[in-house]
């Protein structure tokens, strides 16, 4: 009891140091405990994301039985429904499915189904079927001429017949409704030619099956309630389902029953991903744990330094070494007992923090961080190890007498870490790990594994580089010793001599700070690289934050310029090349260069040409001939042969607000005057000739156009070009009298020929493989025409395009003007990209579009965030942040108590007349040099190691396409630097204030020697 009272009194007297030890040990426990807590939470997240992303047929169970009319339905239903009670189930939906002929023996064969609860999931026009009634698909009722209230005959395989009353009709249900059991729905796919089923209730079906002799596929669909179920319990469900199947097969009449589920395969995949996850997570926490133990040793040394004299006094007065060691052990256990619960709570908090920092989260994905047995036992073990570390530090101190302690206190040895060449041990290990990383087998893309050497190699190299950096600092300071001795400013002299000759505890603090900053750079950058890679992978697939397949308004050109903010209209089509072939089908995209930066996505390494230059080169001048102001008609004389007298002539113009108008006039054989309206026209786009489908035209047609004019201004058609629309070809020959002779072969469309104003080649951004095969101007089949395309830049990738597929990116306005100069259906706007905060569909609807399928990047990023490497770097980030936080505490505590231990030194300086300002400047210079070097060196070493290993970690950290790029998490690094500077400044300021207020005579009288 006396020993306990002594320890408690000392703990209270040295409460600041005791609190520092408790907090440090709690951080050490928390960082290591966070590993197993996070691993279990990540396992739950992987399970919930897998369940949420799989189809209903995979995550649920169906018990299937083929039986005839002799099946005892009630007994079978009771047995099966009761058996499913042993697993977590929301509901069990029974169903029976057979085939009958409707309307008579010669009627169509259709499925007949009952499914409990089906009427609530169908929009029935009429009433749900009751006993003796049937509800028919609308298409089936229409083909048979049946209406509600009519009687219809059901004919079985042996021509038995049963009449039922039609209670109503319905359309096919929403295929996304999980009630119908996804791909195993009784309703056929939309593109299937199979007939949809007719619906009856259960009693009617069982009566019909008995009367008609039907063979029925009976199913019981068990919708499992796995949301929120712990992994350990959920993982037992596949085995329980197998037991249910075996038990049911033992029941009379159910021997052929079969369980159909994808849960067993799903859990195999989840187990594989969990196994890939645990090693890197535990490696991460043990790396950071090593740093925290080092900090614990440093703080423990500071505490021991305040206790060494009293231990020496006790030892000199007869206390044995064993007794003192037992007292120190009791103190260490007291620290551990207080730190243990705090460490568990801190570990739980770190695990929760890591779960928030591993990337975008899918809706419904749970990350339930909670204590587990492994975490608690590990925390207890770490607490005991921490106590042993503290006890081991006390071992030398309990053996010294007062005289030996006074002698030791009068001299300051270099720190142990400064005397032991640790780098000679760690550096070879780091080099070996890096060689293995560089030459080892990398995980396949999408495998979900993370190579442990990705974490181990840079960490080992960081430890070695940190020691080397500090030794280089000591070497440089030693070499500058003479120059420092000649310094005229006292603060510079004192700070330089202190750092060069007796760095003391500052060396250990600088080492810890250097290590923690290097680890922070690596850990936060790994996370930033992964998150950026996931964002890039999602955006390169989608094209922007959102991609919407949509139908445009009637005025397509006007729609391009009137898109909502942060949206862009696109054309996606399949080009054809006359002189090039590719292994993958090529894609052509029409984009709006004016809106791409705000509504699209791009990465600078996709092309050697900057995005600004690409967009500037893709911008084109408006197409067509300018219409004079006030002109409202195109007038000309047109002569056509008798064989082509069923042609009509058309002109297409565009107004200032991009509204397209086509005017036409029928032609007769011979020469005639033509006047075509140009309402509000700004530019004339084409003169074309049209024939109705089925019109018999000659292989070659000669049309003479004379005296064309727009308003009062003559129109020179000699510079125009024949169209190549859908195979049409032709020549244009000017006649001496000023007319032009257009000789053409009709194309395959309704627009069989025509003339277009001369247009420049369409500028295009092309892929590497297109550029390699073309070499210059390219003739491309686009919009039903053979267009000249001029590559203005080359890119390796483009968002929204399949990887490695050839592509041609052209300005959407230029493409559409060339398309709509031909007044016939062809390609049009069919897609919209957006970088809006929410789904852009409502905005598109307001703009006159009809939105269709919406694809977003967030769900893709959320799915990638559940990969093991993403979950591992989340823990890496949280552990590194915790390590830096602990180092901040350790450095601040070290600064404060180290300065307090130098009170005799500064009292002597003050006694010799040194001013307070000079002393403060000395301390600031000293710590700024040491800690500033540690900060900068840690950042530099971390960045260098990141650059060193980056080429070898791509497949481990992220997805392979697009390749991960180096990203530094500057906000996290900046926050850590600011926190360290602020904490160091507070600790230094507090220490200086205490030192400067202390009594010089009191300090000098109380200090030995």
């Amino acid at each position: 009891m006396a020993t306990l009272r002594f320890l408690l009194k000392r703990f209270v007297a040295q409460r600041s140091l005791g609190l520092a030890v408790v907090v440090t040990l709690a951080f050490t426990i928390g960082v290591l405990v966070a590993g197993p807590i996070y691993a279990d939470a990540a396992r739950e997240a992987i399970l919930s994301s897998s369940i949420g992303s799989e189809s209903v047929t995979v995550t649920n169970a169906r018990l299937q039985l083929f039986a005839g009319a002799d099946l005892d339905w009630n007994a079978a239903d009771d047995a099966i429904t009761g058996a499913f009670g042993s697993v977590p189930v929301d509901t069990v939906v029974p169903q029976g499915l057979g085939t009958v002929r409707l309307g008579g023996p010669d009627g169509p064969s259709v499925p007949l189904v009952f499914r409990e609860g089906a009427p609530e999931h169908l929009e029935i026009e009429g009433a749900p079927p009751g006993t003796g009634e049937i509800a028919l698909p609308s298409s089936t009722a229409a083909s048979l001429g049946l209406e509600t209230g009519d009687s219809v005959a059901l004919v079985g395989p042996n021509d038995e017949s049963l009449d039922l009353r039609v209670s109503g009709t319905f359309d096919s249900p929403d295929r996304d409704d999980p009630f119908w059991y996804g791909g195993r729905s009784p309703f056929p796919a939309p593109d299937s030619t199979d007939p949809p089923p007719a619906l009856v209730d259960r009693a009617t079906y069982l009566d019909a099956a008995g009367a008609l002799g039907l063979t029925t596929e009976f199913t019981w669909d068990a919708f499992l309630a796995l949301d929120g179920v712990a992994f350990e319990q959920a993982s037992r469900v596949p085995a329980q389902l197998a037991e249910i199947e075996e038990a049911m097969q033992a029941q009379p009449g159910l021997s052929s029953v079969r369980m159909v589920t994808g849960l067993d395969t799903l859990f195999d995949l989840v187990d594989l991903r969990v196994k890939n996850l645990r090693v890197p997570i535990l490696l991460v926490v043990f790396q950071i744990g090593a740093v925290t133990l080092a900090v614990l040793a440093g703080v423990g040394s500071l505490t021991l330094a305040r206790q060494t004299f009293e231990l020496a006094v006790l030892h000199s007065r007869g206390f044995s070494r064993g007794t003192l060691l037992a007292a120190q052990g009791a103190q260490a256990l007291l620290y551990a007992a207080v730190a243990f619960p705090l460490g568990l709570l801190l570990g739980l908090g770190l695990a929760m923090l890591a779960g928030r920092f591993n990337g975008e989260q899918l809706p419904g994905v749970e990350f339930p961080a909670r204590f587990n047995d492994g975490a608690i036992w590990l925390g207890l073990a770490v607490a005991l190890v921490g106590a042993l570390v503290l006890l081991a530090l006390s071992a030398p101190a309990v053996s010294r007498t007062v005289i030996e302690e006074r002698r030791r206190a009068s001299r300051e040895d270099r720190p142990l870490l400064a005397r032991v060449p640790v780098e000679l041990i760690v550096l070879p290990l780091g080099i070996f790990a890096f060689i293995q990383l560089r030459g080892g087998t990398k995980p396949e893309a999408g495998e979900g594994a993370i190579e442990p050497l990705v974490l181990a190699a840079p960490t080992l190299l960081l430890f070695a580089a940190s020691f080397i950096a500090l030794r280089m600092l000591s070497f440089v300071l030693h070499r500058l010793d003479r120059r420092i001795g000649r310094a005229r400013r006292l603060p510079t002299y004192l700070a330089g001599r202190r750092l060069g000759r007796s760095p003391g505890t500052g060396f250990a603090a600088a080492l810890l700070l250097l290590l923690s900053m290097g680890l922070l750079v690596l850990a936060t950058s790994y996370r930033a690289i992964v998150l950026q890679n996931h964002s890039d992978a999602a955006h390169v697939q989608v094209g922007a934050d959102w991609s919407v397949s949509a139908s445009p308004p009637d005025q397509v050109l006007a729609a391009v310029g009137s898109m909502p903010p942060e949206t862009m209209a696109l054309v996606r089509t399949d080009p054809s090349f006359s002189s090039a072939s590719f292994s993958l089908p090529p894609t052509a995209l029409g984009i709006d260069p004016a809106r791409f930066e705000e509504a699209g996505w791009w990465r600078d390494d996709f092309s050697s040409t900057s995005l600004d230059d690409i967009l500037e080169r893709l911008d084109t001048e408006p197409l067509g001939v300018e219409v004079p102001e006030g002109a409202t008609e195109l007038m000309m004389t047109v002569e056509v042969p008798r064989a082509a007298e069923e042609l009509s002539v058309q002109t297409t113009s565009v107004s200032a607000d991009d509204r397209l108008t086509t005017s036409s006039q029928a032609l007769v054989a011979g020469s005639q005057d033509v006047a075509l309206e140009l309402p509000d026209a700004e530019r004339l786009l084409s003169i074309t000739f049209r024939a109705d489908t089925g019109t018999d035209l000659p292989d070659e047609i000669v049309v003479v156009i004379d005296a064309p004019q727009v308003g009062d201004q003559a129109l020179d058609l000699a510079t125009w070009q024949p169209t190549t629309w859908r195979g049409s070809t032709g020549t244009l020959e000017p006649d001496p009298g000023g007319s032009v002779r257009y000789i053409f072969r009709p194309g395959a469309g309704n627009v069989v020929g025509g003339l277009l104003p001369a247009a420049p080649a369409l500028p295009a951004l092309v892929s590497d493989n297109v550029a390699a095969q073309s070499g210059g101007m390219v003739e491309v089949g686009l919009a039903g025409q053979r267009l000249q395309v001029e590559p203005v830049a080359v890119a390796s990738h483009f968002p929204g395009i399949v990887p490695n597929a050839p592509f041609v990116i052209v300005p959407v306005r230029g493409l559409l003007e060339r398309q709509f100069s031909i007044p016939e259906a062809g390609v049009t706007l069919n897609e919209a990209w957006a970088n809006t905060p929410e789904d852009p569909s409502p905005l598109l609807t307001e703009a006159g579009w009809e939105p269709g399928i919406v694809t977003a990047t967030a769900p893709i990023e959320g799915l990638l965030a559940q990969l093991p490497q993403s979950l591992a770097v989340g823990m890496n980030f949280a552990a590194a942040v915790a390590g830096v936080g602990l180092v901040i505490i350790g450095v601040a505590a070290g600064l404060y108590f180290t300065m307090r231990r130098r009170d005799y030194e500064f009292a002597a300086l003050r006694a010799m007349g040194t001013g307070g300002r000079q002393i403060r400047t000395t301390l600031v210079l000293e710590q700024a040099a040491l800690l500033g070097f540690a900060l900068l060196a840690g950042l530099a070493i971390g960045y260098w190691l990141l650059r060193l290993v980056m080429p070898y970690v791509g497949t481990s950290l992220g997805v392979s396409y697009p390749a991960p790029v180096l990203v530094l998490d500057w906000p996290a690094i900046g926050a850590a630097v600011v926190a360290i500077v602020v904490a160091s400044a507070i600790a230094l300021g507090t220490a200086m204030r205490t030192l400067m207020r202390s009594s010089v005579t009191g300090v000098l009288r109380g200090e030995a020697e």
Side-chain angles (χ1 to χ4, degrees):
M1 290 301 295
T3 302
L4 288 177
R5 283 196 299 271
F6 165 71
L7 293 175
L8 288 174
K9 287 181 179 179
R10 187 168 68 178
F11 183 82
V12 172
Q14 300 176 2
R15 53 190 175 276
S16 298
L17 281 172
L19 180 61
V21 173
V22 168
V23 171
T24 305
L25 184 53
F27 260 92
T28 305
I29 295 170
V31 167
L32 290 168
V33 162
I37 294 176
Y38 182 79
D40 276 4
R43 182 179 64 176
E44 304 286 348
I46 290 173
L47 176 61
S48 60
S49 68
S50 299
I51 291 175
S53 60
E54 290 292 346
S55 66
V56 65
T57 57
V58 173
T59 58
N60 297 290
R62 165 172 282 190
L63 206 55
Q64 184 181 55
L65 173 67
F66 289 92
D70 57 343
L71 175 69
D72 186 347
W73 162 261
N74 291 327
D77 184 54
D78 290 343
I80 291 174
T81 304
F84 276 122
S86 62
V87 294
V89 171
D90 275 333
T91 185
V92 178
V93 179
Q95 172 183 293
L97 182 64
T99 303
V100 298
R101 285 168 286 170
L102 279 181
D106 297 327
S109 294
V110 299
L112 182 68
V113 67
F114 85 84
R115 186 171 178 85
E116 293 291 340
E120 288 79 13
H121 296 268
L122 290 171
E123 294 184 4
I124 299 178
E125 185 176 347
T131 303
E133 294 181 329
I134 186 172
L136 296 176
S138 300
S139 57
T140 303
S143 64
L144 295 177
L146 296 172
E147 296 181 354
T148 300
D150 291 346
S151 179
V152 62
L154 275 62
V155 180
N158 298 318
D159 292 340
E160 296 90 345
S161 179
L162 176 67
D163 291 336
L164 297 178
R165 176 183 173 275
V166 178
S167 68
T169 60
F170 58 86
D171 293 324
S172 292
D174 182 4
R175 290 190 63 82
D176 293 331
D177 185 352
F179 172 81
W180 298 104
Y181 215 68
R184 296 182 179 272
S185 169
F187 287 88
D191 56 352
S192 174
T193 58
D194 295 335
L199 181 70
V200 294
D201 67 5
R202 181 172 64 181
T204 302
Y205 185 92
L206 295 176
D207 291 342
L212 304 179
L214 301 181
T215 297
T216 301
E217 178 193 4
F218 290 106
T219 57
W220 288 262
D221 294 331
F223 290 87
L224 301 176
L226 296 179
D227 291 340
V229 177
F231 181 89
E232 294 295 340
Q233 180 182 352
S235 63
R236 293 193 291 267
V237 171
Q240 292 173 326
L241 292 176
E243 293 173 359
I244 292 173
E245 178 185 33
E246 185 176 351
M248 291 301 99
Q249 289 174 347
Q251 296 288 325
L254 301 181
S255 59
S256 61
V257 75
R258 186 169 65 95
M259 185 73 72
V260 181
T261 183
L263 278 179
D264 46 358
T265 303
L266 177 66
F267 274 96
D268 288 343
L269 294 175
V270 171
D271 284 338
L272 178 61
R273 293 170 65 184
V274 169
K275 289 176 182 177
N276 291 331
L277 172 71
R278 286 193 178 276
V279 171
I281 283 181
L282 295 179
L283 179 62
V284 164
V285 297
F286 277 105
Q287 285 174 347
I288 306 299
V291 175
T292 59
L293 283 174
V295 177
L296 176 65
V299 175
S301 297
L302 286 174
T303 305
L304 183 65
R306 307 285 290 186
Q307 299 171 355
T308 52
F309 184 74
E310 65 188 44
L311 290 174
V313 170
L314 292 173
H315 185 57
S316 298
R317 296 185 64 181
F319 282 82
S320 68
R321 184 173 183 273
T323 301
L324 294 177
L325 203 58
Q328 292 297 102
Q331 175 183 265
L333 288 176
L334 178 62
Y335 289 151
V338 176
F340 176 66
L342 297 177
L344 291 180
L345 293 175
L346 182 62
L348 183 64
L350 285 175
M352 296 173 66
L353 177 68
R356 292 180 175 271
F357 280 91
N358 65 327
E360 188 82 30
Q361 295 296 327
L362 286 172
V365 172
E366 299 178 357
F367 205 95
R370 49 179 173 250
F371 294 117
N372 55 58
D373 292 342
I376 293 174
W377 283 110
L378 178 61
L380 185 60
V382 174
L384 293 177
V385 170
L388 289 176
V389 169
L390 295 174
L391 181 61
L393 293 172
S394 303
V398 298
S399 302
R400 289 192 290 264
T401 63
V402 172
I403 296 175
E404 292 169 339
E405 175 60 24
R406 287 295 189 181
R407 186 182 299 116
R408 187 198 64 82
S410 65
R411 298 170 179 83
E412 184 175 1
D413 293 331
R414 295 172 65 206
L416 179 63
L417 291 177
R419 290 181 274 127
V420 178
V422 179
E423 63 272 20
L424 296 182
I425 302 172
V426 180
L427 183 60
L429 294 176
I431 294 174
F432 176 76
F434 176 70
I435 293 173
Q436 289 295 108
L437 172 64
R438 187 176 63 176
T441 302
K442 298 180 180 178
E444 294 294 331
E447 182 179 297
I450 182 169
E451 173 59 55
L453 289 175
V454 171
L455 303 173
T459 303
L460 292 171
L461 291 174
L462 173 63
F463 270 82
S466 299
F467 280 98
I468 292 173
L470 285 178
R471 292 196 193 284
M472 291 296 296
L473 176 64
S474 297
F475 175 77
V476 170
L477 290 173
H478 181 71
R479 299 289 294 178
L480 294 175
D481 189 68
R482 290 187 178 179
R483 183 171 297 181
I484 293 172
R486 295 194 296 270
R488 295 185 177 182
R489 296 182 69 250
L490 181 62
T492 304
Y493 172 81
L494 292 175
R497 281 295 171 90
R498 177 75 182 184
L499 290 174
R501 296 187 175 184
S502 56
T505 309
F507 183 93
L511 176 63
L512 291 176
L513 186 56
L514 201 159
L515 283 173
S516 66
M517 289 309 301
L519 285 174
L520 182 72
V521 171
L522 289 173
T524 57
S525 297
Y526 277 175
R527 173 182 172 271
I529 289 168
V530 169
L531 296 186
Q532 185 64 54
N533 177 246
H534 290 173
S535 176
D536 291 352
H539 282 87
V540 82
Q541 179 178 335
V542 177
D545 289 350
W546 303 87
S547 174
V548 184
S549 61
S551 300
D554 294 336
Q555 288 295 333
V556 176
L557 271 182
V560 173
S562 60
M563 293 293 290
E566 298 182 300
T567 64
M568 174 180 65
L570 292 93
V571 171
R572 183 183 295 271
T573 186
D574 299 324
S576 60
F577 295 83
S578 57
S579 59
S581 59
F582 306 98
S583 58
L584 292 174
T587 300
L589 278 184
I591 67 168
D592 186 353
R595 288 177 171 265
F596 185 83
E597 285 191 275
E598 68 168 314
W601 178 84
W602 180 256
R603 210 169 80 173
D604 290 338
D605 62 343
F606 284 176
S607 175
S608 58
T609 306
S610 69
L611 179 61
D612 290 340
D613 288 343
I614 291 173
L615 297 179
E616 183 178 353
R617 296 174 189 179
L618 287 179
D619 199 12
T620 58
E621 293 294 327
L623 195 66
V625 173
E626 186 174 347
V627 175
E629 186 175 356
T632 58
E633 283 187 328
L634 168 64
M635 295 171 289
M636 57 187 170
T637 301
V638 179
E639 180 182 347
V640 296
R642 182 170 298 277
E645 62 179 351
E646 295 186 34
L647 290 178
S648 61
V649 64
Q650 308 174 120
T651 184
T652 300
S653 62
V654 61
S655 65
D657 58 355
D658 290 329
R659 301 184 71 84
L660 291 162
T661 303
T662 298
S663 302
S664 65
Q665 180 177 322
L667 298 174
V668 296
S671 180
Q672 61 236 278
D673 292 333
V674 173
L676 299 173
E677 293 184 358
L678 302 175
D680 301 321
E682 182 185 57
R683 288 173 287 123
L684 186 64
L685 296 182
S686 67
I687 298 172
T688 55
F689 298 94
R690 175 185 172 85
D692 291 335
T693 303
T695 303
D696 188 15
L697 295 175
D699 292 339
E700 185 176 274
I701 300 175
V702 179
V703 176
V704 178
I705 303 175
D706 191 20
Q709 63 181 43
V710 180
D712 297 331
Q713 181 175 317
L715 182 64
D716 183 11
L717 295 181
T719 60
W720 287 38
Q721 298 172 340
T723 180
T724 58
W725 176 253
R726 295 189 175 174
S728 173
T729 59
T731 59
L732 192 63
E733 300 174 357
D735 284 343
S739 62
V740 294
R741 182 184 298 269
Y742 173 41
I743 307 168
F744 68 96
R745 299 179 65 86
N750 291 115
V751 176
V752 295
L755 300 175
L756 307 174
L762 197 61
L765 169 70
V766 300
S767 59
D768 296 330
N769 38 16
V770 171
Q773 294 205 30
S774 61
M777 200 76 71
V778 188
E779 185 179 77
V780 182
L782 281 172
Q785 306 176 67
R786 305 301 301 178
L787 300 179
Q788 291 295 315
V789 171
E790 179 185 6
V792 295
V794 178
S796 56
H797 310 288
F798 195 84
I801 305 293
V802 175
N804 302 318
F807 57 80
V808 177
I809 311 300
V810 296
V812 67
R813 187 176 293 275
L815 177 62
L816 291 177
E817 286 180 337
R818 286 161 174 79
Q819 158 64 55
F820 286 100
S821 62
I822 309 297
E824 185 173 352
V827 298
T828 187
L829 297 174
N830 51 18
E831 195 170 329
W833 288 359
N835 285 331
T836 53
E838 304 294 336
D839 183 352
S841 296
L843 296 175
L844 295 176
T845 302
E846 291 179 8
W849 291 67
E850 294 182 10
I853 298 174
V854 178
T855 306
T857 56
I860 299 173
E861 293 181 54
L863 191 62
L864 294 174
Q866 303 307 313
L867 294 176
Q869 61 263 41
S870 305
L871 296 169
V873 297
M875 187 66 242
N876 198 6
F877 173 82
V881 170
V884 170
L886 181 57
V887 168
I888 290 173
I889 296 173
V891 169
L895 274 177
Y896 177 77
F897 291 110
T898 301
M899 295 299 104
R900 290 291 307 275
R901 289 184 61 200
R902 294 170 61 185
D903 52 359
Y904 183 82
E905 173 187 341
F906 292 112
L909 288 172
R910 290 167 63 194
M912 290 185 289
T914 306
R917 183 175 181 180
Q918 289 180 311
I919 293 176
R920 293 188 187 95
T921 304
T922 299
L923 291 175
V924 171
L925 284 176
E926 179 184 320
Q927 298 306 319
L930 191 60
L931 299 183
F933 172 80
L935 272 176
L936 294 177
L939 293 173
I941 292 173
Y943 178 73
W944 170 73
L945 289 173
L946 198 61
R947 293 291 300 267
L948 181 67
V949 302
M950 187 64 199
Y952 312 106
V953 302
T955 53
S956 278
L957 288 181
V959 297
S960 60
Y961 179 79
V965 293
L966 193 150
V967 182
L968 291 177
D969 192 347
W970 287 115
I973 295 172
V977 170
V978 170
I980 289 171
V981 171
V982 170
S984 300
I986 292 174
L988 189 59
T990 304
M992 286 192 297
R993 181 181 179 185
T994 304
L995 288 173
M996 299 306 295
R997 287 185 174 185
S998 61
S999 169
V1000 174
T1001 56
V1003 172
L1004 294 179
R1005 286 173 180 172
E1007 183 66 30
E1009 300 179 18

